């Protein structure tokens, strides 16, 4: 602290040496004035304590006093306003150096400095002013500053007494709570159970919905998809009676926190995590999210994979973009703006042959805009010049510990299961644990598994430049999986996503709608997202879009035609599942790269499915009483894969409830219920079949 004060004093000395000679002739006193209404109803300024006359006001506003204190009275003679006019150039220059423009609503860089009461800004910076005065006691500047300090000490005598008394006990009252929030002070608060720290920029009392609040104007570090920067947030402390512990306030200075060191460490660690989430990331998430803007949106619980991608969110929801001010200086801002005019702007993005490409709009000859596709690393960095550009990028984006402490606790992401953009709590984001062995557990003929794996790996890693005669067509991998329910069609797509470590985006006809225009809009958005995220797209129960066109149903024809056209230009991996391959439109045959038929599980396949689920239960730490000989019976029961999974889960719940291990007997109890339902279902369906 003393080093800072010495630095301020040196700067002030340099400035005050240039003060006009007239300063040493100033009257080192406080001129006290009253502004009152005379008998004619005119407002005049007179010496404090005197009665205004009907004569004109002869007071010279530019008198030679160091300070001029003026009280303003209304026509009823009641005091309603006070000002302090700083006349001394040396005092002005000290205040300019010590405070400058750091206090909101007041500038000490102007020629005339007239401060309105209450003088909160001078109370906050009294120690800094006192240090400068102490270093130069005997000079004219020192005497001017001493006059100011003596005046302030007298004005703040009662406030200082209350403040010191409360501070000794760690208390505050609402009336003097503003003393805690000096500009630059780090403020600790909590949003939805997650700690936050803001830097104070200002404080005021304000009525909101008929309640008085102490409103702290705070800044923090956020990310808008392009850069990190300072963002603004108002933090509220509601009015209260009497006194309250400082640490019981909704927001209070971080230095009062009993675990300040631990909080700093935790928030800096979270800040590093927040910084690392710039770009595109597939993460695991389990907990509440916020589906609206700010901290006041509705809550949505998410348990599953999410895509953290602020830039894409901004593209689709520009109204929710976070306004940030650059961490660089004004000169850097100008340079960045100038440089950006000479750089290509990225318009679209996506993976192709395992490399991320971005479509670049650049100026060619004769100022004609051309679209050029360049390979990038997924963040807009040209791979050819990646080394040089990365050095510059890191220099711009690396945050200091002071920045990391202020980082937001929220970041925008897309919940894949809920298909919704939400704000995710950074603390709850975890790296994905990819189940790379799930494909090996898939119960399929060996030849089919090898074919699917080879095609997917080839599509992911291929560097071939082979393309259609029309650019952009036929670059995707379209797989049609058809067969009876519960034979592994959906699990195939899920397993492919796991072993390729790609997010899985699952949609159905309900997500796209039945209106052709709405369907085209929704499908276009989904295909673009899957391209940007390198996701595996699964269209489950795709019958409605694959059904053969007819002359009588123009609406369905439009849906099929749109789907065919968009499928042609999709460059990612798409799995279509259906139970009705016989109704396919012929045009789909040429667009499907591989069609796999899933037959009903035979006895050995059912045994293997049972083994997989029992082993999964045991690998989670739960012991079972299933014996090797039991699998022969389990495999003999005619069930599909989904029914086996449901039976195993239900039997485990039944055994847990009875305090027993999972055994063949508990499985048989569940299978009896399943068989009864199957029998009833078939009996109820027979009359309908006969009637039809």
């Amino acid at each position: 602290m003393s080093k800072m004060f010495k630095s301020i004093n040196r700067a002030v000395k340099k400035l005050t040496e240039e003060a006009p000679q007239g300063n040493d002739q100033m009257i080192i006193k406080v001129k006290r004035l009253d502004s009152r209404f005379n008998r004619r109803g005119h407002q005049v300024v007179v010496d404090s304590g005197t009665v205004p006359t009907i004569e004109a006001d002869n007071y010279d506003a530019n008198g030679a006093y160091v300070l001029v204190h003026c009280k303003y009275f209304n026509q009823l003679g009641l005091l309603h306003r006070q000002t302090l006019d700083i006349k001394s150039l040396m005092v002005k220059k000290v205040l300019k150096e010590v405070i400058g423009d750091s206090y909101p609503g007041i500038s000490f860089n102007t020629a005339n400095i007239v401060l309105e009461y209450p003088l909160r800004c001078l109370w906050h910076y009294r120690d800094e002013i006192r240090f400068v005065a102490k270093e130069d006691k005997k000079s004219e500047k020192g005497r001017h500053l001493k006059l100011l300090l003596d005046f302030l000490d007298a004005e703040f005598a009662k406030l200082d007494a209350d403040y010191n008394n409360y501070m000794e006990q760690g208390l505050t009252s609402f009336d003097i709570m503003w003393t805690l929030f000096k500009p630059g002070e780090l403020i600790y608060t909590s949003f939805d159970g997650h700690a936050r720290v803001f830097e104070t920029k200002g404080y005021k009392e304000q009525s909101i919905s008929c309640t008085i609040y102490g409103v702290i104007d705070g800044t923090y570090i956020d990310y808008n998809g392009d850069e990190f920067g300072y963002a603004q947030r108002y933090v509220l402390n509601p009015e209260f009676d009497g006194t309250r512990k400082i640490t019981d306030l909704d927001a209070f200075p971080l230095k009062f926190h009993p675990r300040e060191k631990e909080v700093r460490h935790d928030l800096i660690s979270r800040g590093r995590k927040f910084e690392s989430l710039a770009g595109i990331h597939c993460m695991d998430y389990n907990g509440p999210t916020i589906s609206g803007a700010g901290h006041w949106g509705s809550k949505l619980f998410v348990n599953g994979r999410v895509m953290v991608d602020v830039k894409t969110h901004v593209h689709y929801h520009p109204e929710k973009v976070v306004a940030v001010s650059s961490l660089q200086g004004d000169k850097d801002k100008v340079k960045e703006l100038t440089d950006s005019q000479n750089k290509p702007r990225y318009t679209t993005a996506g993976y192709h042959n395992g490399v991320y490409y971005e479509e670049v709009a650049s100026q060619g000859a004769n100022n004609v805009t051309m679209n050029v596709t360049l390979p990038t690393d997924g963040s807009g960095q040209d791979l050819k010049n990646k080394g040089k550009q990365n050095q510059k990028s890191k220099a711009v984006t690396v945050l200091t510990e002071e920045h990391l402490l202020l980082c937001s606790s929220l970041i925008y992401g897309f919940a894949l299961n809920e298909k919704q953009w939400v704000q995710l709590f950074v603390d709850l984001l975890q790296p994905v644990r990819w189940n790379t062995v799930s494909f090996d557990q898939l119960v399929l003929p060996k030849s089919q598994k090898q074919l699917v794996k080879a095609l997917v790996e080839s599509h992911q890693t291929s560097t071939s430049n082979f393309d259609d005669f029309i650019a952009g067509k036929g670059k995707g991998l379209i797989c049609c999986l058809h067969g009876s329910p519960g034979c592994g069609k959906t699990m195939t797509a899920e397993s492919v996503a796991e072993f390729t470590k790609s997010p899985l985006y699952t949609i159905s006809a309900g997500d796209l709608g039945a209106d052709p225009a709405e369907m085209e809009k929704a499908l276009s958005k989904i295909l673009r997202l899957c391209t940007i995220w390198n996701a595996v797209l699964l269209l489950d129960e795709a019958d409605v879009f694959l059904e053969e066109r007819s002359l009588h149903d123009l609406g369905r024809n439009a849906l099929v035609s749109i789907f065919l056209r968009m499928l042609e230009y999709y460059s990612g991996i798409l799995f279509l599942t259906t139970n009705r391959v016989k109704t396919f439109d012929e045009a789909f045959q040429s667009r499907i790269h591989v069609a796999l038929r899933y037959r009903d599980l035979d006895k050995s396949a059912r045994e293997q499915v049972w083994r997989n689920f029992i082993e999964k239960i045991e690998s989670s730490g739960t012991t079972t009483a299933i014996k090797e000989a039991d699998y022969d019976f389990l495999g003999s029961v005619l069930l599909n894969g989904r029914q086996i999974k449901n039976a195993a889960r239900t039997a485990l719940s039944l055994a847990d409830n009875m305090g027993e291990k999972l055994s063949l007997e508990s499985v048989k109890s569940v299978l009896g219920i399943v068989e009864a339902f199957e029998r009833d279902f078939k009996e109820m369906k027979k009359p309908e079949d006969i009637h039809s």
Side-chain angles (χ1 to χ4, degrees), residues 646-658:
N646 293 338
R649 178 183 295 170
T650 306
L652 178 62
S653 299
L654 178 63
D656 287 342
N657 183 261
M658 298 177 65

Side-chain angles (χ1 to χ4, degrees), residues 155-196:
E155 290 289 314
F156 294 132
K158 184 179 183 307
L159 172 63
D160 289 341
D162 291 341
Y163 176 83
N164 293 329
N165 180 41
Y166 290 154
M167 286 300 107
E168 290 176 0
Q169 305 170 63
L171 301 174
T172 189
S173 67
F174 187 79
D175 290 338
I176 70 166
M177 187 171 62
W178 62 268
T179 60
L180 301 174
F181 303 110
K182 179 180 179 179
E185 188 73 54
L186 295 180
I187 302 304
Y188 174 88
T189 188
S190 176
F191 286 133
D192 297 297
H194 296 263
R196 292 290 302 272

